Amino acid sequence: MEAAGHAQDVRSKALRQVETAHGGNTPLDPDGETAAHRMLDVYFRHWEVKAAERNAPAIGDEIARQRRDWEREGRLTGLGPTWLLKFATEAELTAITKQLEGKGDDEEITRTTFARAAVKRWLTAQGHVVDESETLPKW
């Protein structure tokens, strides 16, 4: 229970730092956009591999369509924004879980929290309505 409280404190601190540094309506900074693009690249690769491993052509087709749309239009369409935010949130939650199990550290939680926040700002800057109510657990 103490470890869970510590992980939540680290996450909350990282979120406050992100909000202080970037505010709600501040334009994307180059580092944040780079982090969002890096997450997008990992997201595409992850789901392409998973679709192949699980012989799931529907997921493979959806990810291929999202990638084509991204390459053509420079923005995500369809399920892309929601799936990307959930993917970034899962990375953050995985870091918290690893820290709770004694396999991770505060730095990884902070890094993944910043990456998720960068993805959220990037999606918002692209005009997507970002609703995190379905992507974050109730603490």
Side-chain angles (χ1 to χ4, degrees), residues 77-94:
T77 60
L79 298 172
T82 301
W83 286 15
L84 178 62
L85 184 58
K86 285 185 178 189
F87 183 77
T89 302
E90 287 174 14
E92 180 188 28
L93 295 176
T94 298

mmCIF file with all atom_site columns, all heavy atoms in Angstrom, residues 77-94:
data_model
loop_
_atom_site.group_PDB
_atom_site.id
_atom_site.type_symbol
_atom_site.label_atom_id
_atom_site.label_alt_id
_atom_site.label_comp_id
_atom_site.label_asym_id
_atom_site.label_entity_id
_atom_site.label_seq_id
_atom_site.pdbx_PDB_ins_code
_atom_site.Cartn_x
_atom_site.Cartn_y
_atom_site.Cartn_z
_atom_site.occupancy
_atom_site.B_iso_or_equiv
_atom_site.pdbx_formal_charge
_atom_site.auth_seq_id
_atom_site.auth_comp_id
_atom_site.auth_asym_id
_atom_site.auth_atom_id
_atom_site.pdbx_PDB_model_num
ATOM 1   N N   . THR A 1 77 ? -6.629  9.713  -37.855 1.00 0.00 ? 77 THR A N   1
ATOM 2   C CA  . THR A 1 77 ? -8.053  9.703  -38.157 1.00 0.00 ? 77 THR A CA  1
ATOM 3   C C   . THR A 1 77 ? -8.672  8.470  -37.511 1.00 0.00 ? 77 THR A C   1
ATOM 4   O O   . THR A 1 77 ? -7.967  7.610  -36.983 1.00 0.00 ? 77 THR A O   1
ATOM 5   C CB  . THR A 1 77 ? -8.298  9.663  -39.681 1.00 0.00 ? 77 THR A CB  1
ATOM 6   O OG1 . THR A 1 77 ? -7.701  8.477  -40.203 1.00 0.00 ? 77 THR A OG1 1
ATOM 7   C CG2 . THR A 1 77 ? -7.703  10.883 -40.368 1.00 0.00 ? 77 THR A CG2 1
ATOM 8   N N   . GLY A 1 78 ? -9.960  8.380  -37.578 1.00 0.00 ? 78 GLY A N   1
ATOM 9   C CA  . GLY A 1 78 ? -10.673 7.197  -37.072 1.00 0.00 ? 78 GLY A CA  1
ATOM 10  C C   . GLY A 1 78 ? -10.386 6.934  -35.603 1.00 0.00 ? 78 GLY A C   1
ATOM 11  O O   . GLY A 1 78 ? -10.450 7.829  -34.769 1.00 0.00 ? 78 GLY A O   1
ATOM 12  N N   . LEU A 1 79 ? -10.042 5.705  -35.310 1.00 0.00 ? 79 LEU A N   1
ATOM 13  C CA  . LEU A 1 79 ? -9.769  5.291  -33.938 1.00 0.00 ? 79 LEU A CA  1
ATOM 14  C C   . LEU A 1 79 ? -8.369  5.685  -33.464 1.00 0.00 ? 79 LEU A C   1
ATOM 15  O O   . LEU A 1 79 ? -8.045  5.541  -32.296 1.00 0.00 ? 79 LEU A O   1
ATOM 16  C CB  . LEU A 1 79 ? -9.913  3.765  -33.823 1.00 0.00 ? 79 LEU A CB  1
ATOM 17  C CG  . LEU A 1 79 ? -11.298 3.206  -34.127 1.00 0.00 ? 79 LEU A CG  1
ATOM 18  C CD1 . LEU A 1 79 ? -11.251 1.685  -34.173 1.00 0.00 ? 79 LEU A CD1 1
ATOM 19  C CD2 . LEU A 1 79 ? -12.299 3.684  -33.089 1.00 0.00 ? 79 LEU A CD2 1
ATOM 20  N N   . GLY A 1 80 ? -7.549  6.185  -34.365 1.00 0.00 ? 80 GLY A N   1
ATOM 21  C CA  . GLY A 1 80 ? -6.160  6.499  -34.056 1.00 0.00 ? 80 GLY A CA  1
ATOM 22  C C   . GLY A 1 80 ? -5.937  7.343  -32.814 1.00 0.00 ? 80 GLY A C   1
ATOM 23  O O   . GLY A 1 80 ? -5.148  6.964  -31.944 1.00 0.00 ? 80 GLY A O   1
ATOM 24  N N   . PRO A 1 81 ? -6.609  8.500  -32.667 1.00 0.00 ? 81 PRO A N   1
ATOM 25  C CA  . PRO A 1 81 ? -6.359  9.331  -31.487 1.00 0.00 ? 81 PRO A CA  1
ATOM 26  C C   . PRO A 1 81 ? -6.668  8.616  -30.170 1.00 0.00 ? 81 PRO A C   1
ATOM 27  O O   . PRO A 1 81 ? -5.877  8.672  -29.230 1.00 0.00 ? 81 PRO A O   1
ATOM 28  C CB  . PRO A 1 81 ? -7.294  10.532 -31.693 1.00 0.00 ? 81 PRO A CB  1
ATOM 29  C CG  . PRO A 1 81 ? -7.490  10.588 -33.165 1.00 0.00 ? 81 PRO A CG  1
ATOM 30  C CD  . PRO A 1 81 ? -7.490  9.157  -33.637 1.00 0.00 ? 81 PRO A CD  1
ATOM 31  N N   . THR A 1 82 ? -7.798  7.947  -30.113 1.00 0.00 ? 82 THR A N   1
ATOM 32  C CA  . THR A 1 82 ? -8.177  7.237  -28.887 1.00 0.00 ? 82 THR A CA  1
ATOM 33  C C   . THR A 1 82 ? -7.207  6.112  -28.591 1.00 0.00 ? 82 THR A C   1
ATOM 34  O O   . THR A 1 82 ? -6.750  5.952  -27.458 1.00 0.00 ? 82 THR A O   1
ATOM 35  C CB  . THR A 1 82 ? -9.604  6.674  -29.007 1.00 0.00 ? 82 THR A CB  1
ATOM 36  O OG1 . THR A 1 82 ? -10.494 7.758  -29.255 1.00 0.00 ? 82 THR A OG1 1
ATOM 37  C CG2 . THR A 1 82 ? -10.023 5.929  -27.753 1.00 0.00 ? 82 THR A CG2 1
ATOM 38  N N   . TRP A 1 83 ? -6.877  5.320  -29.611 1.00 0.00 ? 83 TRP A N   1
ATOM 39  C CA  . TRP A 1 83 ? -5.963  4.199  -29.411 1.00 0.00 ? 83 TRP A CA  1
ATOM 40  C C   . TRP A 1 83 ? -4.576  4.673  -28.995 1.00 0.00 ? 83 TRP A C   1
ATOM 41  O O   . TRP A 1 83 ? -3.942  4.060  -28.148 1.00 0.00 ? 83 TRP A O   1
ATOM 42  C CB  . TRP A 1 83 ? -5.871  3.353  -30.677 1.00 0.00 ? 83 TRP A CB  1
ATOM 43  C CG  . TRP A 1 83 ? -7.071  2.500  -30.941 1.00 0.00 ? 83 TRP A CG  1
ATOM 44  C CD1 . TRP A 1 83 ? -8.310  2.589  -30.382 1.00 0.00 ? 83 TRP A CD1 1
ATOM 45  C CD2 . TRP A 1 83 ? -7.143  1.423  -31.865 1.00 0.00 ? 83 TRP A CD2 1
ATOM 46  N NE1 . TRP A 1 83 ? -9.140  1.640  -30.909 1.00 0.00 ? 83 TRP A NE1 1
ATOM 47  C CE2 . TRP A 1 83 ? -8.456  0.908  -31.818 1.00 0.00 ? 83 TRP A CE2 1
ATOM 48  C CE3 . TRP A 1 83 ? -6.239  0.854  -32.748 1.00 0.00 ? 83 TRP A CE3 1
ATOM 49  C CZ2 . TRP A 1 83 ? -8.872  -0.162 -32.604 1.00 0.00 ? 83 TRP A CZ2 1
ATOM 50  C CZ3 . TRP A 1 83 ? -6.654  -0.203 -33.538 1.00 0.00 ? 83 TRP A CZ3 1
ATOM 51  C CH2 . TRP A 1 83 ? -7.947  -0.718 -33.457 1.00 0.00 ? 83 TRP A CH2 1
ATOM 52  N N   . LEU A 1 84 ? -4.086  5.762  -29.587 1.00 0.00 ? 84 LEU A N   1
ATOM 53  C CA  . LEU A 1 84 ? -2.758  6.278  -29.239 1.00 0.00 ? 84 LEU A CA  1
ATOM 54  C C   . LEU A 1 84 ? -2.731  6.757  -27.796 1.00 0.00 ? 84 LEU A C   1
ATOM 55  O O   . LEU A 1 84 ? -1.784  6.458  -27.060 1.00 0.00 ? 84 LEU A O   1
ATOM 56  C CB  . LEU A 1 84 ? -2.340  7.402  -30.189 1.00 0.00 ? 84 LEU A CB  1
ATOM 57  C CG  . LEU A 1 84 ? -0.992  8.045  -29.879 1.00 0.00 ? 84 LEU A CG  1
ATOM 58  C CD1 . LEU A 1 84 ? 0.144   7.019  -29.976 1.00 0.00 ? 84 LEU A CD1 1
ATOM 59  C CD2 . LEU A 1 84 ? -0.734  9.217  -30.810 1.00 0.00 ? 84 LEU A CD2 1
ATOM 60  N N   . LEU A 1 85 ? -3.750  7.487  -27.364 1.00 0.00 ? 85 LEU A N   1
ATOM 61  C CA  . LEU A 1 85 ? -3.778  7.962  -25.979 1.00 0.00 ? 85 LEU A CA  1
ATOM 62  C C   . LEU A 1 85 ? -3.852  6.783  -25.011 1.00 0.00 ? 85 LEU A C   1
ATOM 63  O O   . LEU A 1 85 ? -3.173  6.779  -23.987 1.00 0.00 ? 85 LEU A O   1
ATOM 64  C CB  . LEU A 1 85 ? -4.937  8.923  -25.753 1.00 0.00 ? 85 LEU A CB  1
ATOM 65  C CG  . LEU A 1 85 ? -5.002  9.554  -24.359 1.00 0.00 ? 85 LEU A CG  1
ATOM 66  C CD1 . LEU A 1 85 ? -3.723  10.327 -24.033 1.00 0.00 ? 85 LEU A CD1 1
ATOM 67  C CD2 . LEU A 1 85 ? -6.215  10.464 -24.251 1.00 0.00 ? 85 LEU A CD2 1
ATOM 68  N N   . LYS A 1 86 ? -4.646  5.784  -25.335 1.00 0.00 ? 86 LYS A N   1
ATOM 69  C CA  . LYS A 1 86 ? -4.711  4.593  -24.471 1.00 0.00 ? 86 LYS A CA  1
ATOM 70  C C   . LYS A 1 86 ? -3.362  3.880  -24.429 1.00 0.00 ? 86 LYS A C   1
ATOM 71  O O   . LYS A 1 86 ? -2.935  3.408  -23.379 1.00 0.00 ? 86 LYS A O   1
ATOM 72  C CB  . LYS A 1 86 ? -5.813  3.648  -24.940 1.00 0.00 ? 86 LYS A CB  1
ATOM 73  C CG  . LYS A 1 86 ? -7.197  4.140  -24.601 1.00 0.00 ? 86 LYS A CG  1
ATOM 74  C CD  . LYS A 1 86 ? -8.260  3.143  -24.965 1.00 0.00 ? 86 LYS A CD  1
ATOM 75  C CE  . LYS A 1 86 ? -9.619  3.671  -24.544 1.00 0.00 ? 86 LYS A CE  1
ATOM 76  N NZ  . LYS A 1 86 ? -10.675 2.688  -24.674 1.00 0.00 ? 86 LYS A NZ  1
ATOM 77  N N   . PHE A 1 87 ? -2.677  3.810  -25.565 1.00 0.00 ? 87 PHE A N   1
ATOM 78  C CA  . PHE A 1 87 ? -1.364  3.171  -25.634 1.00 0.00 ? 87 PHE A CA  1
ATOM 79  C C   . PHE A 1 87 ? -0.372  3.915  -24.734 1.00 0.00 ? 87 PHE A C   1
ATOM 80  O O   . PHE A 1 87 ? 0.370   3.299  -23.969 1.00 0.00 ? 87 PHE A O   1
ATOM 81  C CB  . PHE A 1 87 ? -0.875  3.160  -27.085 1.00 0.00 ? 87 PHE A CB  1
ATOM 82  C CG  . PHE A 1 87 ? 0.435   2.469  -27.295 1.00 0.00 ? 87 PHE A CG  1
ATOM 83  C CD1 . PHE A 1 87 ? 0.509   1.084  -27.310 1.00 0.00 ? 87 PHE A CD1 1
ATOM 84  C CD2 . PHE A 1 87 ? 1.595   3.201  -27.501 1.00 0.00 ? 87 PHE A CD2 1
ATOM 85  C CE1 . PHE A 1 87 ? 1.724   0.437  -27.522 1.00 0.00 ? 87 PHE A CE1 1
ATOM 86  C CE2 . PHE A 1 87 ? 2.808   2.562  -27.710 1.00 0.00 ? 87 PHE A CE2 1
ATOM 87  C CZ  . PHE A 1 87 ? 2.872   1.177  -27.718 1.00 0.00 ? 87 PHE A CZ  1
ATOM 88  N N   . ALA A 1 88 ? -0.370  5.250  -24.797 1.00 0.00 ? 88 ALA A N   1
ATOM 89  C CA  . ALA A 1 88 ? 0.526   6.054  -23.960 1.00 0.00 ? 88 ALA A CA  1
ATOM 90  C C   . ALA A 1 88 ? 0.179   5.886  -22.484 1.00 0.00 ? 88 ALA A C   1
ATOM 91  O O   . ALA A 1 88 ? 1.067   5.815  -21.627 1.00 0.00 ? 88 ALA A O   1
ATOM 92  C CB  . ALA A 1 88 ? 0.451   7.521  -24.370 1.00 0.00 ? 88 ALA A CB  1
ATOM 93  N N   . THR A 1 89 ? -1.114  5.800  -22.181 1.00 0.00 ? 89 THR A N   1
ATOM 94  C CA  . THR A 1 89 ? -1.550  5.614  -20.800 1.00 0.00 ? 89 THR A CA  1
ATOM 95  C C   . THR A 1 89 ? -1.126  4.249  -20.285 1.00 0.00 ? 89 THR A C   1
ATOM 96  O O   . THR A 1 89 ? -0.677  4.115  -19.145 1.00 0.00 ? 89 THR A O   1
ATOM 97  C CB  . THR A 1 89 ? -3.078  5.782  -20.697 1.00 0.00 ? 89 THR A CB  1
ATOM 98  O OG1 . THR A 1 89 ? -3.423  7.078  -21.181 1.00 0.00 ? 89 THR A OG1 1
ATOM 99  C CG2 . THR A 1 89 ? -3.560  5.621  -19.269 1.00 0.00 ? 89 THR A CG2 1
ATOM 100 N N   . GLU A 1 90 ? -1.236  3.223  -21.115 1.00 0.00 ? 90 GLU A N   1
ATOM 101 C CA  . GLU A 1 90 ? -0.804  1.879  -20.715 1.00 0.00 ? 90 GLU A CA  1
ATOM 102 C C   . GLU A 1 90 ? 0.686   1.847  -20.427 1.00 0.00 ? 90 GLU A C   1
ATOM 103 O O   . GLU A 1 90 ? 1.123   1.166  -19.490 1.00 0.00 ? 90 GLU A O   1
ATOM 104 C CB  . GLU A 1 90 ? -1.170  0.864  -21.787 1.00 0.00 ? 90 GLU A CB  1
ATOM 105 C CG  . GLU A 1 90 ? -2.654  0.566  -21.834 1.00 0.00 ? 90 GLU A CG  1
ATOM 106 C CD  . GLU A 1 90 ? -3.039  -0.345 -22.989 1.00 0.00 ? 90 GLU A CD  1
ATOM 107 O OE1 . GLU A 1 90 ? -2.149  -0.968 -23.601 1.00 0.00 ? 90 GLU A OE1 1
ATOM 108 O OE2 . GLU A 1 90 ? -4.235  -0.414 -23.288 1.00 0.00 ? 90 GLU A OE2 1
ATOM 109 N N   . ALA A 1 91 ? 1.480   2.590  -21.194 1.00 0.00 ? 91 ALA A N   1
ATOM 110 C CA  . ALA A 1 91 ? 2.921   2.651  -20.934 1.00 0.00 ? 91 ALA A CA  1
ATOM 111 C C   . ALA A 1 91 ? 3.176   3.258  -19.558 1.00 0.00 ? 91 ALA A C   1
ATOM 112 O O   . ALA A 1 91 ? 4.021   2.768  -18.796 1.00 0.00 ? 91 ALA A O   1
ATOM 113 C CB  . ALA A 1 91 ? 3.622   3.458  -22.028 1.00 0.00 ? 91 ALA A CB  1
ATOM 114 N N   . GLU A 1 92 ? 2.428   4.307  -19.241 1.00 0.00 ? 92 GLU A N   1
ATOM 115 C CA  . GLU A 1 92 ? 2.580   4.942  -17.928 1.00 0.00 ? 92 GLU A CA  1
ATOM 116 C C   . GLU A 1 92 ? 2.160   3.981  -16.811 1.00 0.00 ? 92 GLU A C   1
ATOM 117 O O   . GLU A 1 92 ? 2.867   3.823  -15.812 1.00 0.00 ? 92 GLU A O   1
ATOM 118 C CB  . GLU A 1 92 ? 1.741   6.208  -17.865 1.00 0.00 ? 92 GLU A CB  1
ATOM 119 C CG  . GLU A 1 92 ? 1.844   6.916  -16.532 1.00 0.00 ? 92 GLU A CG  1
ATOM 120 C CD  . GLU A 1 92 ? 0.872   8.066  -16.392 1.00 0.00 ? 92 GLU A CD  1
ATOM 121 O OE1 . GLU A 1 92 ? -0.209  8.039  -17.020 1.00 0.00 ? 92 GLU A OE1 1
ATOM 122 O OE2 . GLU A 1 92 ? 1.197   8.985  -15.637 1.00 0.00 ? 92 GLU A OE2 1
ATOM 123 N N   . LEU A 1 93 ? 1.033   3.312  -16.985 1.00 0.00 ? 93 LEU A N   1
ATOM 124 C CA  . LEU A 1 93 ? 0.556   2.379  -15.961 1.00 0.00 ? 93 LEU A CA  1
ATOM 125 C C   . LEU A 1 93 ? 1.499   1.190  -15.796 1.00 0.00 ? 93 LEU A C   1
ATOM 126 O O   . LEU A 1 93 ? 1.702   0.696  -14.683 1.00 0.00 ? 93 LEU A O   1
ATOM 127 C CB  . LEU A 1 93 ? -0.858  1.904  -16.293 1.00 0.00 ? 93 LEU A CB  1
ATOM 128 C CG  . LEU A 1 93 ? -1.923  3.001  -16.272 1.00 0.00 ? 93 LEU A CG  1
ATOM 129 C CD1 . LEU A 1 93 ? -3.263  2.441  -16.721 1.00 0.00 ? 93 LEU A CD1 1
ATOM 130 C CD2 . LEU A 1 93 ? -2.029  3.637  -14.901 1.00 0.00 ? 93 LEU A CD2 1
ATOM 131 N N   . THR A 1 94 ? 2.102   0.755  -16.882 1.00 0.00 ? 94 THR A N   1
ATOM 132 C CA  . THR A 1 94 ? 3.083   -0.332 -16.809 1.00 0.00 ? 94 THR A CA  1
ATOM 133 C C   . THR A 1 94 ? 4.287   0.111  -15.984 1.00 0.00 ? 94 THR A C   1
ATOM 134 O O   . THR A 1 94 ? 4.802   -0.656 -15.163 1.00 0.00 ? 94 THR A O   1
ATOM 135 C CB  . THR A 1 94 ? 3.522   -0.770 -18.220 1.00 0.00 ? 94 THR A CB  1
ATOM 136 O OG1 . THR A 1 94 ? 2.367   -1.266 -18.909 1.00 0.00 ? 94 THR A OG1 1
ATOM 137 C CG2 . THR A 1 94 ? 4.587   -1.846 -18.170 1.00 0.00 ? 94 THR A CG2 1
#
